[in-house]
Amino acid sequence: MNDGQATISVGVADSGIRPLTQDDLPRVMELERLGHSHPWTEGIFRDCFKGSYRVWAFVYEDELVGYAIVSYQFDEAHLLNVCVHPNFRGMGMGRKLLQHAIAVARDDDLACMILEVRKSNRAATLLYRSEGFQQIGVRPKYYPGPSGGEDARVMELQFT
Ligand SMILES: CC(C)(COP(=O)(O)OP(=O)(O)OC[C@H]1O[C@@H](n2cnc3c(N)ncnc32)[C@H](O)[C@@H]1OP(=O)(O)O)[C@@H](O)C(=O)NCCC(=O)NCCS
């Protein structure tokens, strides 16, 4: 399996993707609270520093501005979280993080990537569709929300 230790140039000046470390967690929590209506706790992130996860940081001018969390289950990569700081959105960083996570999962010989996304999350849905993900189902009331929960689209990208 690819341990993903190398920093990879992603085509944005002074930027790169590297594995996330536990030292990044204070900054990750800052971004997480800005990015999600129901943010993960630090404990959830800590549980992701295990062998069956791939955790990625997008660094711009020495500052962590985005991250992606992927869990490997059997031959499936599950994209659990991807987030870019609001000030850095629309610059291609979310796409680079996603493409990197996909490339590593392919390299690790997995068969597909699966994810859930809120039905109302247009930006993320368009990103996933433009990278070839297709909707394969809906999980009713999967996400907490003000009026009893919000449905999730389940999307999949087959690697073969
Ligand atoms: C989803 C998210 C990660 C995208 O990151 P980003 O760096 O802004 O995305 P990019 O600049 O790489 O854009 C990639 C594509 O996403 C879509 N997109 C991004 N922002 C969009 C917006 N405001 N409206 C519509 N589409 C948008 C477009 O298809 C875009 O491609 P294009 O630039 O060729 O049109 C970011 O919006 C974010 O962090 N959101 C909060 C957390 C979240 O919802 N995460 C996903 C669910 S876990």
Side-chain angles (χ1 to χ4, degrees), residues 7-123:
T7 297
I8 295 157
S9 170
V10 292
V12 179
D14 297 326
S15 71
I17 294 175
R18 61 159 172 79
L20 204 61
T21 73
Q22 301 219 32
D23 290 344
D24 294 318
L25 285 181
R27 174 68 174 165
V28 166
M29 290 309 300
E30 204 181 310
L31 269 64
E32 177 73 8
R33 291 185 190 109
L34 290 169
H36 295 287
S37 56
H38 295 77
W40 284 11
T41 63
E42 189 170 327
I44 294 176
F45 280 103
R46 285 200 187 281
D47 283 344
C48 298
F49 288 90
K50 293 177 182 164
S52 59
Y53 289 81
R54 294 293 179 274
V55 291
W56 303 112
F58 194 105
V59 178
Y60 177 73
E61 292 184 341
D62 291 331
E63 188 180 14
L64 192 152
V65 296
Y67 52 85
I69 309 289
V70 182
S71 156
Y72 286 5
Q73 296 161 9
F74 304 102
D75 62 350
E76 291 180 1
H78 200 144
L79 181 70
L80 299 178
N81 197 338
V82 56
C83 188
V84 172
H85 189 288
N87 293 349
F88 293 87
R89 289 186 193 156
M91 298 168 63
M93 296 177 181
R95 188 185 298 284
K96 294 292 182 190
L97 271 167
L98 178 61
Q99 289 175 340
H100 178 76
I102 292 168
V104 174
R106 278 182 190 273
D107 202 34
D108 286 338
D109 286 331
L110 274 72
C112 62
M113 184 172 281
I114 306 271
L115 59 86
E116 283 89 16
V117 58
R118 279 181 188 270
K119 274 195 165 175
S120 63
N121 194 340
R122 184 164 176 270

Side-chain angles (χ1 to χ4, degrees), residues 137-153:
V138 171
R139 295 196 204 283
K141 313 290 181 205
Y142 182 76
Y143 291 107
S147 52
E150 181 176 349
D151 294 355
R153 297 179 203 282

Side-chain angles (χ1 to χ4, degrees), residues 119-130:
K119 274 195 165 175
S120 63
N121 194 340
R122 184 164 176 270
T125 303
L126 289 174
L127 166 61
Y128 301 141
R129 283 200 183 125
S130 68

